[in-house]
Amino acid sequence: MLLTSLPSADPGPPDLSSPAAFLRRLRHGQRRGQTLATCWALLEMGGKASLPVPLGLGVQAAAEGDTAGIWRAAGLVLLLAVLGAAGAVLLHRQAIWNWIDAACQVRQLVARRASALGAGLSRRIATGEAVAVGGGDVERIAWYVELVARVRGAVITWLAVSTTVLVVEPGLGVWVLLGVPVLAVSMWPLIGPFERRYERQRAYGGRATELAADTVAGLRVLRGIGGEELFLQRYRAASQEVRAAAVRSARFSSLMQAQQVLLPGLFVVGVTWYGARLVADGELAVGTLIAVYGATAYLAAPLRILGEAAHAWSVARVSAGRAVRVLSLRRTGSPGDAVLIRPEKGDLHDPETGLTARAGELTAVVCGDPDFAGVLAERLGGHVPLGEGETPPPSVRLGGTDLDAVPLAEAREAVLVQDKEPVLLSGTLGELFDIPSSGRVPVAEALAATRCDDVLHALAAAGAVRDGDAMGARIAERGRSLSGGQRQRLALARSVLADPPVLVLDEPTSAVDAHTESRIAAGLRGVRAGRTTVVFATSPLLLDQADRVVLLRGGRAVAAGRHGELMRAEPAYRAVVARDEEPAPANGARTVRRTS
């Protein structure tokens, strides 16, 4: 099987009922590869295990002066050596294929789940957890999946050798037949303690990775406030926790590896001693002893494979458990075959909060809790991830259709959610805007509406523009060569260029000055005319451009109207927008005006 065939187009649905079931599904997904690897393992191990037989025959022929027997034995040794070498080469190639295939399957599954959940993934699991699953855990899972075929070959070889020795010399055969399972089982008591220590090590490692990622992402801010040393101390402490946990798990790992060498060695010594006693008593020929000894000594290799399997299983089960936790996260609801009919003409309604964004209007949402606003923005796009057993909230409806019942690709075409910290990948400006779009809004108009003219000037002044073409301007990774406001405007221009039927923006102008924000608000209203736009904001400059403003309080929509009307009539609205103190309502009652 060629490596060029990897990765496969579709890894298929995983079994997430348990870590063991997940690993079993990966094995079953490569039946042909596992079968071939088992065959090549039998060819290699069988060839090597059979070598002592012609060697013993040759020694016996030499003792009896049988020249023809010596040549026959030499020819058989050569044939078995060639077969063993061929099996080793083929096994290695197939084992590498199985390893890469399993790793690709896990990486594809994790990447697809992360893509399906979008920014909501980081709300449910730590960033370090996702990084660990996509990195070291993948390798350990693939190691176990690849090893299964070699374990099958080792077990079959052990049974064949044991049966042969049992026929030749029943006493030695019983030793071989019963001794190997006993030695293999003796390695398993260490698995439980090792798994517990390894799981703690992986958890500490995930937290350290998350801390490192957060520190690097906020390095500019840390330098500005002089907090580098504080975060360095925190990362140093986290690193020491990882080191201590790694040392504890390494102790058990080294003990397991020592067993893989010591126990098979003691077993071979015991069998050889018993065989030598039989030769000394005249009950066993020298050539037969050599053949039995060689075959028994070779069983040390299958025993080491069984020990390696115990080690691989312990770390793979921990890693598979982490992968299952990530892959078990899902969108709210159960996506089905629902179809959105003219989503640009349908109202966007959230039953849980009572929020309604009318079709074709610019709706602003005022919420005093920015964290709740971010969660609601994700829910409006159907991107809220759920863990196993969690009860989903009522589905957001677009034009009367449950958004969670619509296939993910169609839901994303209908509703685009831009969070407050959008990411700009490295590349040219043209590559940044090379996205699926309706074609209604040209790139120049999107840049003009979001007031990105100074961004283009800054790129030109920095020498990032080539041959006078602004679209050829280079952008550093995550837009680090730009200011926060410039990055925010480029991301907004990208969303405007996509021109989705429904656009949800979470604080899209929080990093720009008031003058620029006012111009962006007017430009956004103009370029999105006739399209449904929802903006989570508390800036009066944005709110004043909205066709309708909805106030959320206590997780519910409590008032709606134009910005000026709410400023005059709603103390709660004024308290959030203008930072005024809200007067206490008489008799403890809440004063709320509802408008349709």
Side-chain angles (χ1 to χ4, degrees):
M1 302 177 74
L2 299 177
L3 292 178
T4 53
S5 62
L6 298 175
S8 59
D10 184 8
D15 188 342
L16 304 179
S17 56
S18 68
F22 178 74
L23 294 172
R24 185 166 55 250
R25 174 65 181 81
L26 288 177
R27 295 199 312 269
H28 291 169
Q30 46 178 233
R31 288 188 181 89
R32 181 165 178 256
Q34 289 286 328
T35 302
L36 287 174
T38 302
C39 292
W40 304 141
L42 288 175
L43 182 61
E44 180 204 13
M45 296 179 186
K48 292 180 178 179
S50 301
L51 274 175
V53 175
L55 286 175
L57 293 175
V59 170
Q60 193 66 36
E64 297 174 357
D66 184 3
T67 304
I70 295 175
W71 282 107
R72 285 194 299 270
L76 190 55
V77 167
L78 180 61
L79 175 62
L80 291 176
V82 170
L83 291 177
V89 172
L90 294 172
L91 173 61
H92 181 72
R93 287 175 59 87
Q94 190 59 52
I96 293 297
W97 193 96
N98 292 347
W99 189 94
I100 295 177
D101 178 61
C104 287
Q105 286 189 58
V106 179
R107 285 198 172 100
Q108 283 177 285
L109 291 170
V110 172
R112 289 185 182 183
R113 181 54 51 192
S115 176
L117 298 176
L121 175 65
S122 59
R123 300 183 189 277
R124 298 308 311 269
I125 64 170
T127 304
E129 181 84 358
V131 171
V133 171
D137 288 330
V138 168
E139 297 180 0
R140 289 166 179 84
I141 291 172
W143 174 34
Y144 166 76
V145 174
E146 172 272 319
L147 190 61
V148 170
R150 287 193 284 142
V151 170
R152 292 195 190 102
V155 171
I156 295 175
T157 302
W158 157 66
L159 289 174
V161 171
S162 300
T163 302
T164 303
V165 176
L166 190 64
V167 172
V168 174
E169 175 52 50
L172 285 175
V174 171
W175 274 60
V176 175
L177 189 62
L178 300 181
V180 171
V182 171
L183 294 179
V185 170
S186 67
M187 303 177 186
W188 287 85
L190 294 177
I191 291 180
F194 175 75
E195 278 188 358
R196 291 190 292 272
R197 285 162 174 77
Y198 182 73
E199 190 166 6
R200 283 196 292 270
Q201 175 192 344
R202 299 299 295 167
Y204 288 145
R207 285 199 289 268
T209 302
E210 180 186 7
L211 179 60
D214 291 343
T215 302
V216 171
L219 189 58
R220 180 180 297 180
V221 177
L222 291 176
R223 287 175 175 171
I225 63 176
E228 297 166 273
E229 185 60 32
L230 174 61
F231 272 77
L232 179 61
Q233 292 174 1
R234 291 178 58 188
Y235 183 73
R236 185 180 293 115
S239 299
Q240 290 304 310
E241 287 182 337
V242 176
R243 182 195 61 79
V247 169
R248 288 192 293 269
S249 63
R251 288 171 181 165
F252 271 83
S253 177
S254 61
L255 185 58
M256 294 173 69
Q257 293 179 19
Q259 279 188 322
Q260 296 174 28
V261 177
L262 176 63
L263 296 183
L266 293 176
F267 173 71
V268 172
V269 169
V271 171
T272 305
W273 175 83
Y274 181 70
R277 291 291 303 272
L278 293 178
V279 172
D281 294 339
E283 300 179 11
L284 193 66
V286 175
T288 304
L289 174 62
I290 292 174
V292 170
Y293 163 76
T296 305
Y298 175 74
L299 288 180
L303 272 173
R304 283 195 295 272
I305 293 177
L306 294 178
E308 184 183 357
H311 190 189
W313 165 254
S314 60
V315 298
R317 190 164 65 171
V318 174
S319 297
R322 294 160 65 96
V324 167
R325 284 195 293 272
V326 173
L327 297 176
S328 295
L329 299 174
R330 56 186 175 85
R331 289 175 62 202
T332 53
S334 301
D337 299 326
V339 178
L340 291 172
I341 301 176
R342 302 194 68 184
E344 70 278 1
K345 299 296 182 181
D347 293 347
L348 185 66
H349 176 69
D350 177 31
E352 185 165 352
T353 61
L355 169 65
T356 298
R358 294 171 179 169
E361 291 187 356
L362 173 59
T363 302
V365 181
V366 175
C367 178
D369 184 356
D371 292 333
F372 179 77
V375 172
L376 179 55
E378 293 292 336
R379 189 162 74 237
L380 292 179
H383 299 163
V384 178
L386 293 177
E388 193 68 28
E390 293 185 359
T391 302
S395 174
V396 172
R397 301 176 67 82
L398 178 58
T401 303
D402 286 351
L403 200 60
D404 293 339
V406 175
L408 179 61
E410 186 176 347
R412 284 184 166 173
E413 289 180 2
V415 183
L416 173 62
V417 179
Q418 177 184 302
D419 63 16
K420 64 183 63 178
E421 295 181 358
V423 176
L424 302 181
L425 300 179
S426 60
T428 65
L429 199 58
E431 292 170 343
L432 177 67
F433 290 121
D434 184 16
I435 60 173
S437 65
S438 68
R440 189 179 71 95
V441 181
V443 175
E445 186 176 346
L447 290 170
T450 54
R451 300 303 183 260
C452 291
D453 48 344
D454 69 314
V455 181
L456 301 181
H457 294 156
L459 291 172
V465 177
R466 295 180 180 178
D467 301 327
D469 182 12
M471 291 297 103
R474 299 292 305 181
I475 299 175
E477 183 182 359
R478 301 182 69 89
R480 289 194 175 95
S481 58
L482 304 172
S483 67
Q486 290 171 334
R487 289 196 300 270
Q488 197 171 58
R489 278 176 284 163
L490 281 180
L492 181 57
R494 181 177 56 186
S495 298
V496 168
L497 175 66
D499 191 39
V502 180
L503 177 60
V504 180
L505 304 170
D506 187 6
E507 295 287 355
T509 58
S510 59
V512 301
D513 59 82
H515 176 67
T516 305
E517 184 178 32
S518 176
R519 298 171 64 202
I520 291 175
L524 183 63
R525 179 181 176 84
V527 78
R528 291 289 298 173
R531 297 289 201 181
T532 305
T533 307
V534 181
V535 181
F536 287 82
T538 56
S539 169
L541 297 173
L542 276 174
L543 300 175
D544 192 49
Q545 291 289 339
D547 297 303
R548 185 165 172 265
V549 182
V550 179
L551 172 64
L552 296 182
R553 195 178 187 197
R556 295 290 300 174
V558 297
R562 294 300 297 266
H563 169 61
E565 297 172 356
L566 295 177
M567 284 294 289
R568 291 189 297 270
E570 290 293 339
Y573 179 84
R574 191 164 55 248
V576 176
V577 175
R579 308 296 191 269
D580 288 346
E581 291 292 334
E582 180 181 0
N587 301 324
R590 186 174 64 184
T591 302
V592 173
R593 183 173 70 89
R594 299 182 184 272
T595 62
S596 60

